[in-house]
Amino acid sequence: MAVTKHDNFETFTREYHRYRSLLIEALKHSHGHTIEQIDAGLINRDYQFWTTDNACAVTSLTEWQGKSVCCFFLVAGNKSRALLEIFEVGLPSVEEYARSHGCEGVLGIGRAGWSRITTAFGFTTHKGDDETIYFKGLA
């Protein structure tokens, strides 16, 4: 199993079509994003789209607490394993991508339940006003 960052229009279109309904479902647990915003961000390459065999993630390069970070802000797939699969298979590639773009860390924005997985991968938990934030510094 591998992770793929979709930069090619053909593979992006195929994979995005395969996961779009799952992304819509995941957005029901998200704060403030719509599928139209996700579509536009991916088409404009403001966001990055990653897939494994059974899961996908949308990331963006942004800042958090004065640090440049690569943020996982949407993960979708098999409900019980999506985040675990993305982290097991894809976290090293996302971290490499983040480093290559000058990021100081990787950030996750998700439900409180993510902590059972994120802590195993070296993330610390930070409570926001209406969301839970997970941060991992990059060496």
Side-chain angles (χ1 to χ4, degrees), residues 72 86-96 106 121 123 136:
F72 284 94
I86 286 292
F87 277 20
E88 283 180 338
V89 176
L91 187 57
S93 295
V94 173
E95 289 174 347
E96 180 180 320
V106 178
F121 288 90
F123 286 75
K136 180 179 182 182

Side-chain angles (χ1 to χ4, degrees), residues 62-72 87 91 95 98 102-110 114-115 117-127 132-139:
T62 190
E63 285 195 15
W64 178 73
Q65 294 188 345
K67 296 177 179 81
S68 178
V69 297
C70 183
C71 178
F72 284 94
F87 277 20
L91 187 57
E95 289 174 347
C103 293
E104 299 171 67
V106 178
L107 190 75
I109 301 173
W114 278 25
S115 64
I117 293 171
T118 58
T119 55
F121 288 90
F123 286 75
T124 56
T125 303
H126 305 264
K127 296 290 183 178
T132 305
I133 298 167
Y134 304 94
F135 176 75
K136 180 179 182 182
L138 297 175

Side-chain angles (χ1 to χ4, degrees), residues 7-131:
D7 291 325
N8 172 287
F9 179 77
E10 183 180 322
T11 61
F12 167 80
T13 303
R14 180 183 63 241
E15 289 299 291
Y16 191 62
H17 177 73
R18 183 165 77 109
Y19 283 106
R20 192 170 189 270
S21 63
L22 292 170
L23 289 168
I24 291 169
E25 186 65 29
L27 283 168
K28 293 177 182 177
H29 306 282
S30 178
H31 298 285
H33 286 90
T34 65
I35 194 63
E36 291 80 16
Q37 290 170 318
I38 301 301
D39 291 345
L42 290 167
I43 290 167
N44 294 329
R45 296 182 178 246
D46 294 329
Y47 303 153
Q48 301 79 47
F49 185 59
W50 309 78
T51 61
T52 60
D53 289 347
N54 303 296
C56 69
V58 177
T59 62
S60 69
L61 300 177
T62 190
E63 285 195 15
W64 178 73
Q65 294 188 345
K67 296 177 179 81
S68 178
V69 297
C70 183
C71 178
F72 284 94
F73 70 89
L74 192 58
V75 176
N78 179 313
K79 289 183 182 182
S80 65
R81 290 200 36 89
L83 184 64
L84 180 60
E85 184 169 310
I86 286 292
F87 277 20
E88 283 180 338
V89 176
L91 187 57
S93 295
V94 173
E95 289 174 347
E96 180 180 320
Y97 175 80
R99 279 188 201 93
S100 74
H101 285 80
C103 293
E104 299 171 67
V106 178
L107 190 75
I109 301 173
R111 292 177 266 179
W114 278 25
S115 64
R116 64 182 169 71
I117 293 171
T118 58
T119 55
F121 288 90
F123 286 75
T124 56
T125 303
H126 305 264
K127 296 290 183 178
D129 292 336
D130 58 353
E131 59 199 2

